Amino acid sequence: MKIVILASGSSGNATLFISGGTQVLVDAGVGPVVARRLLATVGIETWPPDAVVITHAHSDHVGSAPGFAGRLRVPVWATEATARAARLGDPARARRYASREPFTIGALTFHPCPVPHDAAQVALVVSDGTRRAAIATDLGEVTGALADHLAGCDVLLIESNHDEEMLARGPYPPYLQRRIRGTGGHLSNLQTHALLRDLSRRRALAPVVALMHLSETNNRPDLALEVARDVVGPRSRLLAAPPRGPVVIDATELPRMAPPPRLRPPAGPAPEQLLLFPRS
Ligand SMILES: [Zn+2]
Ligand SMILES: [Zn+2]
């Protein structure tokens, strides 16, 4: 599986997942022209994507969906709640998914998990049968169900939106600060740190972690990276996604993760755990 982060942050979000001849764009926060141009810079000429999957109804995620559904005739997948709240374009291209039920597009299966935000929102684990990559942005807090959902992924794209002090001292009015900080808002660097630490203690943290949806006003990439590096070991790849990519992550070259804890057999030796400590 290959992942291409095209854009990340409040000015637009779009990430392409590629495997087995299938290409699916998660969120349409950049339009087809920009997406195609960014992909061409990294040698990806297959166009258009097979589908667009929308996580929630905010314009930095859904704004360009009509552009894909229209002239390009790309199916646009969304939950019923998102479809009610956003303009998704040509109804003939509309596809629905339920926020707790897996759905498959070509070679990729999407496992959604609802997360708290001020719009109906999901985190997604994308699987091609060999690799699992997760994308979780735009959430006010990490639920236990989400931490379980993200355990054992090969790649984790996780929000690290703001530094709490920069937000408190920054230019945003109090009501907006409250919104960002609240359960319907966005994850701070410290909240992300707590999630990464939890996954690390369970030996279920992905070997590649990309920090996503960084605020350009209330965060700095070096700050977010410093906080996360505290728990992401030196053998893991850690990066901060820029507002505009492309950033390519090739998951095919990674050491294999053990299956997520909930899928492990209840008793007996677990030889796959040895794979967590590759000799290198
Ligand atoms: Zn957003
Ligand atoms: Zn949002």
Side-chain angles (χ1 to χ4, degrees), residues 47 54 134 139 180 188 203 270:
W47 189 258
I54 300 296
L139 61 160
I180 291 169
S188 71
R203 303 198 186 287

Side-chain angles (χ1 to χ4, degrees), residues 15 83 85 88 127 162 205 266:
T15 302
L88 299 173
S127 167
H162 58 277
L205 179 61

Side-chain angles (χ1 to χ4, degrees), residues 139-224:
L139 61 160
E141 64 181 358
V142 175
T143 61
L146 177 66
D148 288 346
H149 203 66
L150 303 180
C153 284
D154 299 287
V155 178
L156 174 57
L157 312 180
I158 180 73
E159 176 167 68
S160 194
N161 176 257
H162 58 277
D163 172 78
E164 285 167 8
E165 216 173 290
M166 282 180 74
L167 176 65
R169 294 182 182 184
Y172 283 14
Y175 82 89
L176 192 51
Q177 290 191 22
R178 273 196 300 277
R179 188 226 143 204
I180 291 169
R181 229 183 264 121
T183 52
H186 293 270
L187 288 188
S188 71
N189 294 344
L190 287 179
Q191 285 174 296
T192 303
H193 178 273
L195 167 67
L196 298 176
R197 189 184 50 200
D198 172 34
L199 291 171
S200 174
R201 283 180 177 165
R202 291 155 65 173
R203 303 198 186 287
L205 179 61
V208 179
V209 176
L211 305 178
M212 306 285 285
H213 215 296
L214 269 68
S215 168
E216 292 179 71
T217 307
N218 304 308
N219 208 353
R220 293 199 321 262
D222 62 303
L223 214 56

Side-chain angles (χ1 to χ4, degrees), residues 56 58 60-61 117-119 121 138 179 185-186 213:
H56 67 298
H58 288 160
D60 55 323
H61 298 260
H117 192 47
D118 54 359
Q121 162 67 329
D138 298 68
R179 188 226 143 204
H186 293 270
H213 215 296

